[in-house]
Amino acid sequence: KKRESVFFFFNDTATTEIYTLSLHDALPIFLLLLLPAIAYAIVIEPKELVFEKVLNGGYAEKIIKISGSESVHVTLSATSPIKPWIKFEPIPTSANNKTSEYKMIVSPSNATIGMYQGYIIIDSISLGNEITTVVSTSTTLETTISITDEQITEAGVEYVKIDDVEINKPIKASVTVQNKGNTAVSSFFNLDLR
């Protein structure tokens, strides 16, 4: 069995003082040593965000996916100079709370055409486990935004789901559309069943 030792060092030039730990001071340290080591990890995708040709006064979006080894609560924020242009919208995911997805919307206004660099700050807090340990982490995601005056209108269908169809019953369809241009677009669909 591995033995562990704990040493306390005091940086004090006085040689005549004696330091003691009361039971009140020593008990939390002792209990901390008894607890098993807890590891907590998060994975962030993508590793960096690059927005090319974002229209000044326009719109662009990307998805940020955050996965944790435990159930996690996440908050996102941005740094200057990109902070005023950034908005985050949570995307509903499974009930286990180990994965969070956010739509990051970039909507610059009154910006000078050019390249801007900033960071997305991702603060995560584990929701605890059987011994109610909570772990907090903070990391950054490098973000580059290129502002242009060229308008691009483009969107793509990412996911289509049609529920079981029965005769004389309404059809339920779910469609996820990713805006790949630099302006806001509205989606509409025609469903032709033959």
Side-chain angles (χ1 to χ4, degrees), residues 17 40 72 83 157 177:
E17 294 182 32
Y40 172 72
V72 63
K83 183 178 182 174
V157 174
V177 177

Side-chain angles (χ1 to χ4, degrees), residues 17-129:
E17 294 182 32
I18 296 174
Y19 294 95
T20 60
L21 287 175
S22 69
L23 180 60
H24 175 68
D25 295 328
L27 191 56
I29 295 169
F30 177 72
L31 290 175
L32 181 64
L33 295 174
L34 290 178
L35 293 175
I38 306 223
Y40 172 72
I42 63 169
V43 176
I44 301 167
E45 297 176 74
K47 301 297 180 209
E48 105 180 275
L49 292 167
V50 177
F51 291 86
E52 296 178 3
K53 298 183 179 179
V54 178
L55 183 65
N56 190 13
Y59 174 96
E61 68 182 46
K62 291 193 185 274
I63 303 298
I64 300 173
K65 183 177 179 179
I66 303 162
S67 304
S69 57
E70 299 285 334
S71 295
V72 63
H73 172 74
V74 176
T75 56
L76 300 164
S77 59
T79 64
S80 292
I82 63 173
K83 183 178 182 174
W85 311 329
I86 306 296
K87 185 171 99 176
F88 302 99
E89 291 181 0
I91 298 172
T93 57
S94 64
N96 69 10
N97 285 339
K98 290 186 180 181
T99 301
S100 301
E101 290 187 358
Y102 295 85
K103 182 189 299 182
M104 178 178 158
I105 299 168
V106 178
S107 186
S109 60
N110 300 322
T112 304
I113 294 171
M115 187 81 70
Y116 296 86
Q117 209 161 18
Y119 293 91
I120 303 305
I121 300 169
I122 301 167
D123 293 317
S124 65
I125 300 173
S126 71
L127 301 179
N129 57 27

